[in-house]
Every structure is written in C-alpha cells, then in structure tokens.
C-alpha cells in the first residue's frame, strides 16, 4: 500500500486552496462542531492540500449529490488519502450496476425483518446488563458502554461467542484510531483472520445458527448463483468496518449532549415517545462520517474543474451543520421539523444510503430509553477533560459521567 504525497494539482485554482485535514486538525480536536460550522464561510467546494490533496464539498445538497452521482463521483476509491489496490468492500466499493445486486442481499437477507426480529429485545437486554455493570453513580461511558454495545449486538447477529468482544473492540480501535499505518493494518489483519475463521466454521456447520445473519447470507444469491467465500468475507468485513465504530462514535456525542443539556434530557425523560424525533435532530447535529469518493472522469461541476482520480470528501458532519439547509445549525431543536423527523444526510444518500440505519437507530433509541431515566442529574464528571478524536468518524476519546445513584 502506498500513500500519495501531498500536492496541489495544476488544475486547482489558488483561490480554492484552503487547508483542512479531517484526520488530524488540532482545531477539530479542540472544537469539532465550531470548526465544522465554520465551513459555512468557505466556498461551496474547495481543495485541501492535506492528506495527499482532496476536494471538500461544504453544502448539504451538494454533499448528497456527491453521495448519489456515481457517474461523476465513483465509490471504487473511498480512501482519503488514496490507497493503491484497496480492499474491496461489498457493497460499498462498487458503483451501480454491480452495486445493485449486492445491495439487494442487504435489504432482502441480511437486514430482513426476520434477521432483525430480536434486535430490539437484544439491544434492551444488553443495554440493561451494561448499565447494571456501572459503579453506583458513575461510568466512563466510551469504554464501559459505547464501544461494547455495538460489538455485542454484532457478535449476536453472527451467532458468535461474546467472549470475543474485547478482541473485536481492540481491532476496531486499531482500524479507526490507529496512529500509524501499521496499527491500522494490524487491526484489519486481525479482523480479517477472525472473520475467515468464523466463516469457515459456519460453512462446515451451516445449521448451527438458524435465523442468524450468516444463514441469511448463505441463502442469498447474486445473478442466480450462490455467493463465493470471498464475497461473504467481504460483506462481513464491511459490516465490521461500517457497523461498530460508527454507532460507538454517535453514542459518545449524544450522551455528552444529554449530560450537558439538562433541559433536553428532562424533556426526553418525561416524553420517551419523543425520542425517535429527537434522535434524528441529534443525528443531524452530531454527524460523524467522513466518506471519500473519487472523480470518475474529467468534468466541470458547479464551476469547478475536476480531473479523473481527484479524491472528494463527502462529510456528514459538514452536511448537518449547513446553515442553508438547517438555520441556526448548532442549536439542537427537537421541534425543528415540527412533530416530524428532520431529514438529514447523517446516513448518506443515494444508492449507498446506510443499510444499517435501522440497526443503529434501534441501539441509539434503546440507549436513551434505558439510560436516561436511570441517570438522574446526569453530568460530566467534574474536572474531566474531553478530547475529540477526528478521523473517518468523529468520536470522543473518553466520557466520564456522573449521576445521582439510587440509595
Ligand atoms: C450511527 C451509526 C451509523 C452511521 C452514522 C452510518 C453512516 C453511514 C454512511 C454515511 C454511509 C454511506 C457511505 C457511502 O456513501 O459510501 C453508510 C453506509 C453503510 N453502512 Fe452505515 N452507518 C451507521 C451504522 C451502520 C451499521 C450499524 C451497519 C451494519 C451493521 C452499517 C452498515 C453500512 C453498510 C454495509 C454501508 C455500505 C452501503 C452501500 O455501500 O451500499 N452502518 N453508513
């Protein structure tokens, strides 16, 4: 794997060059949302020379177009900085029409109502069990909850031994938070080995986990044929890479906000029915995903010349704080869309729109339903310094919480 050196190509006009390193900027660590909201003062499209050079789109509706227009912005190269010969993840690294057949497997098999039948009760049981494990009146929310619940649900869906939870948490950390390429590769390699071993075991005993995610995958076909081992492996790696760190990151921001805003928290404790609508506003306000695309060919787009191969960032945090789409964007307003759920791009847009959104929303909703009433006077532990980790997903490094424990 080679990472390209930083550069400003000749076709980029100097007035469009503005530095923004979504992986490392100190400003993002100190004040992520203020830094992202400041994109409202930048051009609709600019070029950052960081991370090998890439375009940044700052308007929500244009970001949705970058997600959707595979004729212009291909998903065949998703990494920023660009990686030579990246691992192909099904379905994410494919454009339609190849993408379409794979994607059907997610809707009809993997995430079918049957495959997700026990998701709600599983999420509630595991949430309660993690809550019961907290010391009276305090926890370090990232380590004791947000990293654990998504991995536990994932292992349940795989029909896999929960004893592997802490290994998986380490691999996810290496993949998404690795400080060097070696650490990232180490995480991928370990997860790859685990998934290959699991698949081989499942194939040897295909009746072992009836109704589980694996059975749904084995039953699925593409173009009238069964999936190959490599395709099943790629799908499972995709779920591992797409479904764990994202939910964790999202949980950290939502719980921090709940701890810092007693009015919003009291509103949800009093009206748990309002949680689904409130959740969408928080998904908008605290977008987490930095997703890459690549210009598919030379073209002009909203007055900007793109050259084939240019990396392009579609950022859901930037889309959610676009003041043209969401007036006063930093304000959390559960009534922003009246009684309806605010429409946002936190799960992307177009053919790649997140197929795990139902899974994520269920875990987040159950978290709020179960934790908020159990944590009266919730607050950040006094003196705690909260560090934000920028990157492919924006996440908090730790979140020490306190509340009034029942006597
Ligand atoms: C709050 C949590 C989550 C967020 C914010 C999120 C966000 C996103 C976004 C923005 C995309 C679009 C990527 C693109 O256009 O290239 C996406 C795709 C995807 N997500 Fe999620 N996701 C979350 C949870 C999950 C979960 C729980 C799963 C499954 C276990 C999952 C599986 C996937 C898959 C498989 C794709 C690729 C879809 C495709 O390429 O067609 N995600 N997600």
């Amino acid at each position: 794997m080679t990472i390209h050196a930083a550069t400003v190509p000749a076709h980029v006009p100097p007035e469009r060059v503005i530095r923004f390193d979504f992986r490392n900027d100190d400003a993002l660590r100190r004040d992520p949302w203020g830094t992202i909201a400041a994109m409202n003062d930048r051009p609709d499209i600019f070029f950052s020379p960081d991370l090998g050079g890439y375009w940044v789109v700052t308007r929500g509706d244009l970001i949705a177009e970058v997600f959707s227009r595979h004729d212009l912005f291909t998903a065949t190269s998703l990494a920023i900085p660009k990686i030579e010969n990246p691992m192909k993840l099904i379905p994410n690294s494919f454009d339609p029409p190849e993408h379409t057949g794979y994607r059907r497997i997610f809707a009809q098999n993997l995430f079918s109502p049957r495959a997700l039948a026990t998701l709600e009760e599983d999420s509630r049981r595991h949430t309660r069990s993690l809550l019961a494990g907290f010391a009276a009146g305090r926890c370090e929310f990232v380590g004791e909850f947000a990293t654990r619940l998504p991995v536990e649900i994932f292992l349940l869906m795989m029909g896999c031994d929960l004893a592997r939870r802490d290994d998986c948490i380490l691999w996810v950390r290496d993949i998404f938070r690795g400080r060097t390429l070696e650490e990232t590769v180490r995480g991928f390699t370990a997860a790859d080995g685990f998934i290959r071993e699991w698949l081989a075991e499942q194939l040897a005993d295909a009746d072992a986990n009836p109704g589980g995610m694996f059975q749904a995958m084995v039953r699925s076909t593409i173009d009238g044929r069964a999936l190959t081992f490599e395709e099943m492996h790629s799908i499972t790696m995709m779920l591992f890479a797409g479904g764990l760190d994202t939910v964790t990151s999202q949980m950290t921001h939502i719980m921090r906000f709940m701890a810092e805003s007693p009015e919003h928290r009291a509103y949800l404790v009093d009206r748990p029915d309002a949680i689904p609508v409130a959740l969408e506003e928080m998904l908008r306000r605290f977008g987490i995903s930095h997703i890459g695309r690549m210009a598919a060919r030379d073209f002009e787009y909203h007055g900007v010349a793109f050259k084939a191969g240019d990396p392009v960032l579609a950022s859901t945090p930037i889309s959610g704080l676009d003041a043209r789409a969401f007036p006063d964007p930093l304000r959390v307003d559960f009534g922003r869309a009246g009684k309806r759920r605010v429409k946002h791009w936190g799960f992307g847009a177009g053919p790649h729109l997140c197929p795990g959104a139902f899974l994520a929303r269920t875990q987040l909703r159950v978290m709020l339903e179960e934790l908020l009433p159990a944590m009266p006077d919730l607050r950040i532990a006094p003196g705690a310094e909260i560090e934000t980790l920028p990157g492919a997903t924006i996440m908090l490094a730790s979140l020490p919480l306190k509340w009034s424990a029942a006597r």
Side-chain angles (χ1 to χ4, degrees), residues 119-132 134 139-142 144-150 153 244 246-259 265 268-269 272 275-276 278-280 282-283 286 334 358-375 378 396 399 401 403:
L119 174 65
E120 168 101 17
E121 70 186 68
D122 289 341
S123 301
R124 209 168 289 284
R125 196 176 63 252
H126 283 256
T127 296
R128 285 182 182 165
S129 152
L130 290 171
L131 174 64
F134 295 160
C139 74
E140 193 292 284
F141 181 74
V142 178
E144 293 178 56
F145 189 90
T147 49
R148 291 183 178 175
L149 184 72
I153 298 299
L244 303 179
T246 45
V247 183
T248 298
S249 302
Q250 200 70 69
M251 284 175 167
T252 66
H253 302 299
I254 291 178
M255 279 308 278
R256 178 188 193 169
F257 176 67
M258 287 286 113
R265 189 175 73 247
L268 295 184
V269 172
I275 289 177
L279 183 55
E280 295 311 304
M282 291 190 277
L283 286 163
F286 304 107
F334 292 161
F358 177 74
L359 210 98
R361 285 183 167 114
T362 304
Q363 292 182 56
L364 292 164
R365 173 175 54 76
V366 169
M367 170 189 86
L368 292 169
E369 287 169 358
E370 295 292 329
L371 298 195
L372 294 187
M375 296 174 157
L378 180 67
L396 299 183
L399 183 61
L401 294 177
W403 59 94

Side-chain angles (χ1 to χ4, degrees), residues 67 91-92 99 103 238 242-243 246 291 293 347-348 352 354-356 359:
F67 275 129
N92 206 203
H99 175 265
R103 186 58 199 230
M238 169 77 234
T246 45
I291 309 275
R293 289 287 191 271
F347 289 109
H352 295 275
C354 178
L359 210 98

Side-chain angles (χ1 to χ4, degrees), residues 66-68 75 78 89-94 99 102-103 106 110-111 150 154 157 213 235 238-251 283 286-293 314 316 345-361 363-364 393:
V66 173
F67 275 129
S68 313
L78 293 159
L89 291 176
I90 296 175
N92 206 203
S93 321
F94 292 83
H99 175 265
Y102 285 129
R103 186 58 199 230
F106 284 73
L110 281 167
F111 294 155
F154 183 75
M157 287 176 68
M213 182 214 271
I235 289 172
M238 169 77 234
L239 294 170
F240 192 91
L244 303 179
D245 179 82
T246 45
V247 183
T248 298
S249 302
Q250 200 70 69
M251 284 175 167
L283 286 163
F286 304 107
I288 52 155
S289 303
H290 284 125
I291 309 275
R293 289 287 191 271
T316 70
W345 299 286
F347 289 109
H352 295 275
L353 182 72
C354 178
F358 177 74
L359 210 98
R361 285 183 167 114
Q363 292 182 56
L364 292 164
T393 51

